[in-house]
Amino acid sequence: MSRRAVDALFQALYLLTDIRFILRETAPVHELDDEQKVRAGKAIEKLKKQVTILEEELS
Amino acid sequence: MKCTADIDTRDVEELYINIDPIQAGGRLTVDAQKAAIAYSDGYSVCDNCRKPFRLDYIDKPPIADFHRDCAEWLNMDVVRLVPGARRGFQAVVSSIVEKGDPALVTALSHYTEFASLEQAGADIHEIPKDEHNHITAENAAARIEDVTRETGKTPSILFVEHVDYQYGNIHEVAGIAKVAHQYDIPVLLNGAYSVGIMPVDGKALGVDFVIGSGHKSMAAPAPSGLVATTDEYADIVFRTTQVKGDITGRTFGIKEVEMMGCTLMGVTAVGLVASFPAVKERVLHWDHEVKNSNTVADALCAVEGTLVESDMPREHTLTRINTVDSFNKVAEIHKKRGYFLSHSLKKNGIIGVIPGSTRVWKYNTYGLTDAQIGIVCEAFQDIARENKLNVS
C-alpha cells in the first residue's frame, strides 16, 4: 500500500480543482488579476510537488 | 474533448459565462467539487453508518451535524434530505393530503407541485396572480373562501412559491401564511429559488414546511433537496415504519416511511454538506447579487424596445425579459433568424439563453463576478448596436 501515493493523488486532484475554479471565475477571457495569478501560481507549484511524489512512488 | 468514448467533457462553466435561468444557484462550490471527487462512488457516505442505520445519524462525513445546522439556519425544527424539491413536495403531500381533499397551489406554481397533488388524488385549485404577477394574501383569502364553499371542505394544504420560476418575483408569503392559518391550513413554501441563495427564515415567514432544491440553489449535485418542518408536523411527515413482515416477522427500525429509509447516499449528500458553509456565507451577500441583477436588467432596458416583465427594480437574480420589439425585430430579418441572439452571445463568451429565443425569455445572473456582469452588459448592448438597434 502506498498511502503517500494516494494522498498525492487526491491532493493533486484538489489542486487541479482550485485551478479549475480560477478558470471558472475568470471565464470567458481568463485574464487573471494579480491575486488570481498568485493563487494559480501557488496551486501549480504545489501540484508539481504532488506529481513528483507520484513519480517517485509509482515508477 | 471527450470524457469517455461517448461522452463529451462538460466544460461550459470553464469556457463561458452561463446565464441559464435554472443552473445558476446549483453550480458547485470548490469544496463541493473536491468532495465530489472523493465521494463519487455509489454508497460513499455509508462507510461509517452505524446503528440505528439512518442517513441523518451519520457523523462522518458530518451529515448529522448538517441536519441540525440546516434546521437552525432555516429557523425550522427538523430537516431531511430528499432527491430534489419535488420529492419534498411528494413527502409532505403524501403525509397530509387524502384522496379528494381540496388543495391550493398558485397560478405560478411549478408542475411538480401539481404532480405531487395529482399523485395523491387531491382536488387542485389555483390562487390567481394579480396584475403585477404577484400572489397576494388577499387573493389567497378569497380563494380559500371560494374553494371551501364549493367543495364543502377546507383545503388540506396551501403551496406558495417564495420566488416563482416564471418571473423571479418575491411573493407575499408571510401574509398568505397568516391567512391560511386562520383556516388551519398548513402552508408549504417552495423555496427552490430562495433557499441557498437568499436569506430564508421559516418561522418569520410563518410557514409549516420549507422545501429547498440542492441542485437549483444550494450548490449541490442533482438530484438533491431538503424538507424542513416544525415539531408539529415532523412526527407526521417523518413518521417511522410500523410494518412487520407476516411470515418473517421482520421490522425495520427507525426508517422513515416518506423517506423510503435513506435518501441521498453518496455524492449528492456530500455535495450539499460540503457547500453548506459557503452557502450560509453567500446568502449574506444577497444584496450584491440583486445589485448585479439590476445592472444587467438596466443594460438590457437601454436597448430600445426591451422590457423587463419581472418586478423592477429587480429583487432577484432570475429575470424574465421581453425583446419582441428589439432582438426579435432583428431575428425577423437576420439570416440566422431567431438563433442569431444565442449565437452572438456565444461568440461573446456567454451561454444559457435558449437557442431560438428572441421574444420572451429568462436569464439568471446569480454567482457571476462583477467583471463577468460587465461582460454580459457590454455583450447585449454590442449585439444590439451591431444589429442597428438603438441603445440609450
Side-chain angles (χ1 to χ4, degrees):
Chain A
M1 176 199 281
S2 173
R3 177 84 229 179
R4 193 166 174 253
V6 172
D7 285 350
L9 171 78
F10 277 105
Q11 193 57 45
L13 289 168
Y14 299 152
L15 288 162
L16 286 168
T17 303
D18 288 332
I19 296 167
R20 180 181 186 185
F21 271 71
I22 293 171
L23 292 173
R24 284 184 166 213
E25 69 193 33
T26 57
V29 289
H30 300 134
E31 284 175 5
L32 280 58
D33 63 24
D34 290 344
E35 182 268 331
Q36 288 162 333
K37 282 178 186 169
V38 169
R39 266 200 289 145
K42 282 182 180 171
I44 290 165
E45 278 310 305
K46 287 180 184 174
L47 179 61
K48 286 177 183 170
K49 286 178 187 167
Q50 301 307 320
V51 173
T52 302
I53 293 170
L54 286 169
E55 285 174 337
E56 289 168 4
E57 292 291 317
L58 302 179
S59 59
Chain B
M1 183 180 174
K2 292 286 184 187
C3 186
T4 71
D6 299 322
I7 301 173
D8 290 335
T9 298
R10 182 176 186 268
D11 52 12
V12 291
E13 303 290 352
E14 288 72 28
L15 291 172
Y16 300 97
I17 297 169
N18 185 0
I19 58 171
D20 186 292
I22 66 170
Q23 294 184 342
R27 277 191 286 264
L28 298 199
T29 59
V30 67
D31 286 336
Q33 288 282 10
K34 291 176 183 176
I37 288 168
Y39 284 81
S40 53
D41 295 315
Y43 281 108
S44 59
V45 303
C46 305
D47 296 337
N48 296 293
C49 183
R50 305 285 182 265
K51 263 189 170 177
F53 303 119
R54 208 170 72 192
L55 185 74
D56 53 305
Y57 281 78
I58 293 174
D59 284 323
K60 194 177 171 187
I63 297 172
D65 286 346
F66 170 81
H67 279 77
R68 283 189 291 272
D69 295 348
C70 191
E72 186 182 347
W73 175 65
L74 289 168
N75 199 11
M76 297 295 278
D77 298 322
V78 186
V79 160
R80 292 288 184 270
L81 300 184
V82 287
R86 63 193 67 195
R87 296 297 179 187
F89 305 150
Q90 195 178 35
V92 172
V93 168
S94 171
S95 302
I96 65 172
V97 178
E98 300 288 333
K99 189 173 183 184
D101 282 0
L104 287 171
V105 292
T106 80
L108 297 171
S109 285
H110 193 254
Y111 75 90
T112 54
E113 296 173 57
F114 280 81
S116 67
L117 289 163
E118 184 178 8
Q119 195 174 46
D123 176 18
I124 306 167
H125 299 268
E126 291 174 297
I127 301 167
K129 60 186 174 76
D130 70 5
E131 67 274 24
H132 304 296
N133 302 308
H134 280 233
I135 307 300
T136 65
E138 187 181 349
N139 280 353
R143 200 64 177 134
I144 290 168
E145 286 284 341
D146 290 347
V147 169
T148 304
R149 190 173 52 251
E150 287 165 17
T151 65
K153 287 189 199 169
T154 307
S156 294
I157 192 167
L158 185 153
F159 278 70
V160 62
E161 300 70 46
H162 197 180
V163 175
D164 71 88
Y165 75 98
Q166 293 190 41
Y167 294 90
N169 288 345
I170 297 173
H171 299 283
E172 206 180 305
V173 175
I176 292 167
K178 192 175 174 188
V179 163
H181 286 162
Q182 287 167 359
Y183 296 83
D184 289 330
I185 302 169
V187 176
L188 180 150
L189 179 81
N190 177 356
Y193 279 103
S194 61
V195 174
I197 60 170
M198 58 186 274
V200 176
D201 181 329
K203 295 265 168 66
L205 292 169
V207 296
D208 303 281
F209 307 99
V210 174
I211 308 292
S213 170
H215 52 265
K216 194 163 272 164
S217 295
M218 296 184 77
S224 59
L226 61 84
V227 179
T229 189
T230 58
D231 286 332
E232 181 185 357
Y233 285 100
D235 289 344
I236 299 168
V237 178
F238 305 134
R239 66 195 179 281
T240 53
T241 175
Q242 302 297 312
V243 74
K244 188 175 184 180
D246 67 342
I247 292 175
T248 62
R250 287 178 300 156
T251 55
F252 303 97
I254 62 162
K255 300 295 188 194
E256 292 168 335
V257 176
E258 293 300 339
M259 300 297 110
M260 294 293 283
C262 297
T263 52
L264 310 183
M265 302 157 225
V267 71
T268 43
V270 84
L272 259 172
V273 173
S275 277
F276 191 51
V279 163
K280 281 194 291 186
E281 173 62 25
R282 75 185 193 179
V283 302
L284 303 176
H285 305 286
W286 177 239
D287 286 351
H288 190 75
E289 295 289 345
V290 172
K291 179 172 165 283
N292 280 346
S293 176
N294 275 297
T295 301
V296 174
D298 289 344
L300 272 161
C301 286
V303 178
E304 190 178 13
T306 299
L307 298 168
V308 169
E309 292 192 349
S310 309
D311 285 339
M312 276 296 275
R314 297 298 304 122
E315 295 180 331
H316 196 271
T317 56
L318 170 67
T319 298
R320 175 169 162 139
I321 191 106
N322 181 324
T323 53
V324 169
D325 290 326
S326 55
F327 292 123
N328 193 58
K329 295 279 184 202
V330 177
E332 287 170 0
I333 54 173
H334 199 284
K335 64 181 178 185
K336 291 189 187 301
R337 308 297 288 180
Y339 293 91
F340 96 92
L341 182 58
S342 58
H343 179 80
S344 301
L345 285 168
K346 194 167 186 181
K347 277 206 306 189
N348 282 272
I350 298 160
I351 59 161
V353 174
I354 296 173
S357 296
T358 51
R359 296 176 66 80
V360 178
W361 45 280
K362 296 183 288 186
Y363 64 88
N364 197 333
T365 57
Y366 189 78
L368 301 186
T369 65
D370 290 355
Q372 288 171 326
I373 290 290
I375 290 170
V376 171
C377 293
E378 203 172 295
F380 277 124
Q381 295 195 348
D382 284 350
I383 292 166
R385 287 190 195 94
E386 284 163 15
N387 290 283
K388 316 293 184 217
L389 295 173
N390 290 326
V391 179
S392 58

